[in-house]
Amino acid sequence: MKDPPDNPTDPFSSFAAADKAADEPLIRVMALHALAYCERLFYLEEVEEIRRADANVYDGRRLHEELEKEEEAVTLELASEALGIKGKLDAVRRRSGGWAVVEHKKGKSDKGGPWPSDRLQVLAYALLLSEHTGRAVNEAVLHYHADNRKVRLTLEPEAVLAEVRAAVARARELRASLERPPVAVPEKLCRTCSLAPECLPEEERFALSETDKPQRLFPPDDDRRVIHLVEQGAAIRREGEQLVVVFPDGNKKPLPGMNILALVLHGNVQISTQALHFCAAHDIGVHWLSYAGHYVGALAPGAGKVQRRNRQYQAMQDRALQIQLARRLVEAKAENQLRYLLRAVRAQRELDQVPEVQQGLSQLRLTLKELNRLGEAADAQELTEPQALEVLEKIRGYEGRAGRVYFGLVPFLLKTAAEDFPAFQGRSRRPPKDPFNALLSFGYALLYRDCVAALLAVGLEPALGFLHTPRSSAYPLALDLMELFRLILWDIPLIGSVNRRQWQKSHFEATPGQVWLGKEGRRQAIQLYESRKQEKWKHPVLQYSLSYARTMELEARLLEKEWTGQPGLFARLRLR
Ligand code: SF4
C-alpha cells in the first residue's frame, strides 16, 4: 500500500495527521454502513460482537460470487491507518484520468437514489482508493440489481472527507461506550435488519407503552435439531465435512451436518477431538448427561462478550432489581401451578370434593397474596443490605412453599395403575425414589440443558443468577430460567403421558432406594420432551405465536432487557 500523498493542501493529509495519534483499531467500512443504517446495529455488531447472516446477507454473497465469475467484481482489500478504516471494494473502473468505485447491491435503490448507508460505504471506499492510488476519486456507482438501477455519485473530496470523518468519530465514540444505543430508527428498517431477532425492537417499543401489538421479528421456530445419543458405547466421529455416529456393532449413521443445533450425549457415548472441533467451528453445542440423567457439562457456542457480561454483573449487584426479578419469577411459577391445578379440577369434577385439593389451592392463593404483599412493601422503601437479603430469602421461601403444595397435589392428578407405575408420593430428587420422580428429574435435566444453551446464545453468564444461589454445581441463572418452564415444558406433557398409560415398568431400572430410566424409557422421555418443545403457543403478552423452544430464548432475551433496554416483559408468560 502506498503512503498517503504528501500534499499539505490536500484535506485528506490534515485528517490523517490529526487521527494518526489516536492509534485505534481500524473500523470496517461495513461497520460504517451499519452505523448509517442504525447506531444500535453498529453497536450490536461491533461492540457486542453479535453477527448474524440472514437470507439477505446470503443473497448478497451469492450475487458477489456470480459477479466475480463474470469478472464484474474483484475483491480489492484496502486499509488506511490514517483514515482509521479498512474495507473490501467490489470493483473499480477507470474514468477519464482517474478511478471510480463500483458497489453492487442485491436489493432495490431508494426510489432511484442511494440509501444513506450505501452512500457512506462508497464514500469511504473512495477515500481508501484515493489514498491507495494517490489520485482523487471523483465518482462512485451503486448498482442496485433488484430494480436494475445504476446510481452515479459525483464526489467532492472535502465533503466526502468531512462526512466519513464524522462517521468514524461517531463510531469510535460508540465503541468506547458501555451503553447500548436505544431503538431509534423507523420500524421499516427493523423489518429488514438481520439482527432484529437479537435486538427485539418491536418488544422494546411495546414495553414502553404496551399499546400496539408487536410484530414478531423473532423466528417462531428453529429448523436446526437437537440430537440425543442414548446408545451406550456409541461414538461420534468426523468424516470429511460431516459427523457420523458409529454404533457398538460397527454400523454407521451420518448426522445432518449443518442442521444440528446441539448434540446431547447420554452416559457412555464418546466424541472424538476432530468431531469436537467440527462442533466448535459450526456453533453446535455438545452437552453431556450422565447415564442417570444428571447434567454433566457442555461445550456451548455463543459465549457472551465482555460488554454483556459486565452489564449483567452490574445488574446482579443491584438488590432492588434482584428482588423484583425474583418476585416476578416466583409469581409466574406459582400462578402457573395454580392455574394448571384449577384447570385439572375443572376437567375432573370429583377433585372439587377432595378436601386436600381445596386446601392446597387455598394455600397457593395465599402464598401468591403474601408474595405480592412482600413485594409491594419492598418496593415502597429503600432496603438496607440485610433487609434486602431477608426479602430475597422470604421470596425463596414462598417458592419452596408453592412447590411443596403443588407436588402435594400432583398425585391427585395421576391416574396410574399401581402394578405398572408405583404411586408418586411427593418429590424426591437425589436420588429419585419412584418412576415419576425419575421422569421428573430426567425431564428437568433436559430442560436445564436447554436453559443453559438459551442463556449462552443470548450472551448471558449462566453462573450469575438472581433467585438461586450457587449452592450446587448447577448454574444459578439457568435454574432461574427453568422455573418458568418446568411446568409448561415438562410437568404438563409428562402427566398427560402417564395418564395415557404410556409408561411401563420396563422403561425403568432400579436399585434399592433409587429408580432411573432405562434405554427405552430415555428414548420415550426425549421424544416427549422434544416434541413438546416444537409445539407452538401464543405468548399471552406479546400476542404472537412461537414454539416453546424459541420461547426459552425469547425469555432469556427479555431478561437481558431488564437491564439493557426496556424492562417489564420478562416472566410474564402465563398458562391460559
Ligand atoms: S432491529 Fe432495528 S433498532 Fe435493532 S439494530 Fe436493527 S435496525 Fe437497529
Side-chain angles (χ1 to χ4, degrees):
M1 175 164 308
K2 291 181 186 176
D3 287 334
D6 188 14
N7 174 2
T9 59
D10 183 349
F12 167 73
S13 298
S14 56
F15 175 46
D19 279 42
K20 262 180 181 163
D23 196 25
E24 290 228 19
L26 301 182
I27 293 170
R28 296 178 310 122
V29 172
M30 282 313 289
L32 294 184
H33 181 276
L35 179 82
Y37 190 87
C38 165
E39 289 199 346
R40 187 172 164 96
L41 176 64
F42 169 86
Y43 194 87
L44 292 174
E45 287 188 339
E46 298 305 307
V47 182
E48 302 196 20
E49 297 176 51
I50 306 173
R51 304 240 166 87
R52 178 189 275 251
D54 66 358
N56 291 337
V57 175
Y58 287 120
D59 282 352
R61 284 185 196 161
R62 263 194 297 277
L63 170 70
H64 283 97
E65 280 162 16
E66 282 160 24
L67 291 169
E68 275 172 26
K69 273 185 222 147
E70 293 163 18
E71 298 190 346
E72 270 301 303
V74 289
T75 300
L76 181 61
E77 287 194 47
L78 297 176
S80 164
E81 289 289 335
L83 291 163
I85 55 176
K86 60 181 178 181
K88 287 184 194 169
L89 285 73
D90 275 355
V92 293
R93 294 272 179 276
R94 274 212 176 273
R95 288 287 185 264
S96 45
W99 292 96
V101 168
V102 180
E103 178 65 20
H104 293 276
K105 293 289 173 194
K106 175 81 187 159
K108 285 184 183 171
S109 62
D110 182 11
K111 301 184 193 93
W115 293 99
S117 49
D118 297 341
R119 188 174 169 282
L120 180 63
Q121 186 185 355
V122 289
L123 297 192
Y125 287 154
L127 285 182
L128 282 172
L129 188 61
S130 164
E131 179 187 317
H132 182 65
T133 58
R135 304 178 73 166
V137 175
N138 296 322
E139 190 182 331
V141 180
L142 275 157
H143 185 172
Y144 290 98
H145 287 252
D147 55 359
N148 200 20
R149 292 257 188 180
K150 285 187 182 162
V151 181
R152 285 175 206 287
L153 306 174
T154 305
L155 309 180
E156 296 290 337
E158 293 210 17
V160 169
L161 187 55
E163 205 170 316
V164 174
R165 184 179 193 170
V168 170
R170 181 63 183 144
R172 286 178 176 165
E173 210 178 309
L174 284 172
R175 223 161 45 172
S177 162
L178 288 177
E179 293 294 316
R180 191 186 279 178
V183 173
V185 294
E187 288 167 37
K188 67 174 186 191
L189 288 187
C190 299
R191 278 179 219 133
T192 49
C193 173
S194 61
L195 284 195
E198 275 78 13
C199 170
L200 298 186
E202 286 283 295
E203 291 74 1
E204 289 247 348
R205 292 184 187 105
F206 177 76
L208 274 175
S209 59
E210 300 215 5
T211 47
D212 294 338
K213 183 181 155 197
Q215 189 187 342
R216 183 178 49 69
L217 302 176
F218 189 74
D221 39 36
D222 197 329
D223 18 340
R224 295 193 301 155
R225 291 165 52 197
V226 176
I227 295 186
H228 294 262
L229 287 130
V230 295
E231 184 74 38
Q232 299 305 289
I236 299 169
R237 291 201 199 129
R238 176 183 183 165
E239 288 189 0
E241 273 313 289
Q242 73 174 1
L243 295 175
V244 174
V245 187
V246 184
F247 293 99
D249 60 5
N251 278 334
K252 287 184 184 178
K253 187 177 173 191
L255 294 175
M258 306 306 157
N259 288 330
I260 306 173
L261 181 64
L263 293 171
V264 187
L265 315 185
H266 295 252
N268 177 25
V269 177
Q270 310 297 319
I271 182 164
S272 70
T273 307
Q274 287 73 16
L276 283 172
H277 288 185
F278 181 91
C279 292
H282 294 88
D283 272 1
I284 299 171
V286 183
H287 300 257
W288 286 269
L289 264 67
S290 73
Y291 184 73
H294 300 304
Y295 190 81
V296 177
L299 163 79
K305 298 298 183 285
V306 177
Q307 293 282 19
R308 271 173 287 162
R309 298 273 168 120
N310 269 344
R311 282 195 299 254
Q312 183 190 354
Y313 180 75
Q314 279 166 11
M316 291 298 118
Q317 305 300 307
D318 178 347
R319 291 286 184 219
L321 177 64
Q322 200 185 348
I323 289 173
Q324 209 185 90
L325 293 175
R327 172 193 166 191
R328 238 192 282 164
L329 189 64
V330 174
E331 204 168 79
K333 182 179 176 185
E335 208 174 304
N336 281 334
Q337 287 169 331
L338 177 63
R339 286 178 185 217
Y340 176 58
L341 290 166
L342 287 171
R343 193 201 272 180
V345 169
R346 275 197 302 275
Q348 299 177 51
R349 279 274 158 224
E350 65 281 6
L351 290 179
D352 223 2
Q353 311 303 321
V354 180
E356 291 96 321
V357 172
Q358 290 311 321
Q359 208 181 350
L361 293 176
S362 307
Q363 282 173 347
L364 270 178
R365 286 193 189 97
L366 183 67
T367 305
L368 277 163
K369 253 190 219 155
E370 288 178 13
L371 174 65
N372 195 27
R373 228 177 284 141
L374 175 74
E376 281 174 359
D379 285 351
Q381 53 180 309
E382 199 150 316
L383 301 174
T384 61
E385 177 69 2
Q387 285 171 329
L389 292 176
E390 197 185 329
V391 170
L392 278 167
E393 226 20 72
K394 282 188 181 162
I395 293 174
R396 291 182 188 115
Y398 287 131
E399 190 263 334
R401 192 209 286 178
R404 281 190 297 281
V405 174
Y406 164 75
F407 279 117
L409 296 188
V410 166
F412 294 96
L413 312 184
L414 295 172
K415 298 175 210 149
T416 51
E419 66 277 8
D420 56 35
F421 200 93
F424 170 60
Q425 305 276 355
R427 187 79 178 104
S428 59
R429 290 178 181 79
R430 283 166 195 265
K433 292 196 168 82
D434 56 68
F436 191 74
N437 269 301
L439 281 163
L440 281 176
S441 295
F442 187 78
Y444 292 156
L446 300 182
L447 176 60
Y448 174 79
R449 185 212 74 76
D450 277 326
C451 289
V452 172
L455 292 169
L456 290 173
V458 175
L460 292 174
E461 168 52 62
L464 288 174
F466 50 90
L467 178 67
H468 289 84
T469 48
R471 285 194 189 126
S472 67
S473 59
Y475 291 127
L477 193 61
L479 295 174
D480 290 351
L481 187 61
M482 269 179 81
E483 299 300 355
L484 284 177
F485 295 99
R486 285 178 194 266
L487 177 90
I488 296 175
L489 261 171
W490 188 231
D491 297 8
I492 294 177
L494 175 62
I495 292 170
S497 78
V498 169
N499 288 345
R500 287 192 298 277
R501 305 274 165 98
Q502 289 179 335
W503 299 95
Q504 287 88 44
K505 267 188 182 155
S506 58
H507 286 124
F508 303 92
E509 294 175 13
T511 51
Q514 178 168 3
V515 177
W516 66 92
L517 284 159
K519 186 168 135 191
E520 278 316 306
R522 275 202 295 273
R523 271 195 219 287
Q524 185 162 300
I526 289 165
Q527 202 176 21
L528 183 66
Y529 175 76
E530 290 295 335
S531 54
R532 177 66 167 179
K533 270 169 61 187
Q534 299 318 317
E535 280 176 31
K536 292 232 174 83
W537 78 308
K538 195 172 185 183
H539 193 287
V541 178
L542 297 171
Q543 292 291 308
Y544 53 61
S545 296
L546 72 172
S547 67
Y548 285 117
R550 296 295 291 165
T551 310
M552 280 187 268
E553 189 186 317
L554 176 68
E555 283 298 325
R557 293 197 182 283
L558 295 176
L559 171 62
E560 199 207 9
K561 287 194 180 296
E562 296 293 327
W563 55 83
T564 311
Q566 292 303 327
L569 293 178
F570 170 67
R572 301 261 307 262
L573 50 89
R574 295 290 187 276
L575 279 184
R576 288 182 196 283

